[in-house]
Amino acid sequence: MREPLIMGIDTSCDDTSVAILRGRDDVLVNLVSSQVEFHRPFGGVVPEIASRKHIEVIIQLIDKALEDASVRLEELDAIAVTYGPGLIGSLLVGLTVAKGIAYMRDIPLIGINHLEGHIFSVFLSFPELKFPFLSLIVSGGHTELVLVKDVGEYELLGSTRDDAVGEAYDKVAKLLGLGYPGGPIIDRIAKGGDPFAINLPIPAFKGRTLDFSFSGIKSAVYYYTKGKEYRVEDVVASFQKTVIDFLVMRVKEAMEETGIRKLAVVGGVSANTALRRRIREERIEGYFPAFAYCTDNGAMIAEAGYYRFVKGEISEFNIEVNPSLKLIE
Ligand code: KG4
Ligand code: ZN
């Protein structure tokens, strides 16, 4: 039998992404149209602008994806699309277009949870990775530590109680006037700083938990820098070290608790070079997807779609967007 051709679409936040996957892990094309220039003046994503920009580019992006992959629309076997979590207006654009194509071509529509997409992004770079494994989802909207037992079988071990880790990077960069998005900027500037220059506390929780919290670290940076001279390289290097210490501490606790040693690190912050280095230094069996699959992309949605498709798990056509969709209901 011919390998299925699945189109994956993600419009959950500020990137319009379209990919075409052949079989389990042959990414024929993975296009991302970034809106970052339009949101930069505001120092964060403006939902109204995001949905308008998705509308403007999505059809052209789909056409370009088909052209680049030398695939005709008639050849697609299924269409996978993010239906949550994310910004409601943004999600609506992707889902509506996907529904239109699925209806017109009479092919299966597969609604994908964006977080499941991030989890499956690891298979694009490591197709041989076997269940079970731990997945640390670190992005602008999410910080979740998940035990991935099988397709659709997830146990949430811990999540953030306030800001997501990428959000903390973005907010710290904003308060230091470094630009947007903050993650890649801090990653670069921190290389020239002393990570031990400033002592920023890792938040303590009552009782046993694998949860995270980053707003206190961000506030500590604010109070440290308020009204005094500082070396920005040292501040961001110390911030980054504290964040990574915290992530690594939780990962080790989760390994202790579950006995699982394999760790996939996914989502935008998994692109962070210091985090990657630290996981290696700690001799943790870490799996980081290629950079293109770390930040939001359509290939990871198509990948999750493939696993659902082969199990016959197709969505109803009346599926609706769910901006606050959870990984585990
Ligand atoms: O996964 P993603 O593209 O979108 C969400 O689903 O949120 O993640 C975007 C986040 C932003 O907060 C950005 O600052 C962060 O990922 N990020 C990074 C790096 N590259 C992107 N954070 C730290 N280091 C990086 N190199
Ligand atoms: Zn994401």
Side-chain angles (χ1 to χ4, degrees):
M1 203 189 84
R2 175 172 84 77
E3 297 257 59
L5 280 171
I6 300 182
M7 175 175 279
I9 297 180
D10 184 87
T11 60
S12 59
C13 190
D14 62 333
D15 288 323
T16 319
S17 319
V18 179
I20 300 174
L21 183 72
R22 181 169 46 207
R24 192 187 59 177
D25 41 55
D26 185 7
V27 180
L28 300 184
V29 65
N30 184 38
L31 302 179
V32 179
S33 171
S34 169
Q35 302 180 353
V36 72
E37 293 310 323
F38 305 104
H39 299 288
R40 183 167 285 134
F42 305 94
V45 177
V46 182
E48 169 67 13
I49 296 177
S51 38
R52 278 166 179 256
K53 292 292 161 194
H54 285 310
I55 294 172
E56 282 173 23
V57 306
I58 191 157
I59 302 296
Q60 300 160 43
L61 206 65
I62 289 172
D63 284 344
K64 185 164 183 349
L66 291 164
E67 197 182 311
D68 288 3
S70 302
V71 168
R72 284 175 296 115
L73 197 60
E74 300 77 54
E75 291 176 286
L76 292 179
D77 295 291
I79 182 147
V81 61
T82 302
Y83 73 104
L87 300 170
I88 183 162
S90 293
L91 290 165
L92 269 169
V93 178
L95 183 61
T96 307
V97 170
K99 277 188 181 182
I101 296 173
Y103 184 80
M104 175 177 67
R105 295 299 320 142
D106 195 18
I107 53 173
L109 175 74
I110 308 168
I112 298 293
N113 182 315
H114 183 77
L115 297 175
E116 185 173 67
H118 275 302
I119 289 174
F120 277 78
S121 68
V122 74
F123 292 119
L124 293 167
S125 294
F126 301 96
E128 74 290 353
L129 180 65
K130 297 274 181 289
F131 299 107
F133 56 88
L134 297 175
S135 187
L136 179 65
I137 309 172
V138 277
S139 75
H142 297 278
T143 309
E144 256 123 28
L145 191 49
V146 182
L147 171 56
V148 182
K149 297 174 184 167
D150 206 334
V151 184
E153 278 185 49
Y154 314 117
E155 189 182 322
L156 184 64
L157 303 174
S159 59
T160 184
R161 295 189 182 179
D162 41 57
D163 292 351
V165 58
E167 189 180 354
Y169 267 91
D170 295 340
K171 286 180 174 172
V172 165
K174 191 173 181 176
L175 75 90
L176 297 173
L178 300 177
Y180 170 84
I185 301 171
I186 289 182
D187 192 356
R188 195 179 65 244
I189 299 179
K191 290 187 168 75
D194 173 8
F196 296 94
I198 306 159
N199 191 20
L200 301 166
I202 288 181
F205 291 113
K206 278 208 195 90
R208 220 179 135 62
T209 176
L210 289 172
D211 280 350
F212 300 91
S213 163
F214 295 100
S215 73
I217 305 174
K218 170 203 66 194
S219 303
V221 170
Y222 172 73
Y223 288 112
Y224 180 84
T225 55
K226 204 173 149 203
K228 74 162 177 285
E229 295 277 312
Y230 57 86
R231 233 186 127 239
V232 72
E233 296 88 338
D234 290 346
V235 174
V236 294
S238 302
F239 161 75
Q240 180 161 271
K241 180 188 180 296
T242 310
V243 166
I244 294 173
D245 281 348
F246 194 10
L247 293 174
V248 168
M249 181 177 93
R250 285 293 188 249
V251 162
K252 286 182 172 173
E253 288 166 349
M255 287 181 165
E256 202 60 32
E257 196 168 300
T258 60
I260 310 260
R261 300 279 150 190
K262 286 182 289 190
L263 173 76
V265 189
V266 298
V269 183
S270 68
N272 187 269
T273 52
L275 177 62
R276 288 178 176 231
R277 189 175 343 105
R278 179 70 177 277
I279 296 285
R280 251 196 334 268
E281 284 167 5
E282 295 281 347
R283 301 194 178 283
I284 291 169
E285 191 183 334
Y287 297 87
F288 287 82
F291 286 114
Y293 306 135
C294 290
T295 45
D296 290 350
N297 65 90
M300 70 184 193
I301 303 303
E303 180 73 356
Y306 171 84
Y307 278 82
R308 295 279 178 191
F309 181 75
V310 293
K311 287 179 82 181
E313 294 179 9
I314 308 304
S315 301
E316 295 292 335
F317 195 71
N318 61 4
I319 183 175
E320 288 186 18
V321 296
N322 183 350
S324 52
L325 184 66
K326 301 276 175 288
L327 186 61
I328 301 133
E329 291 303 325

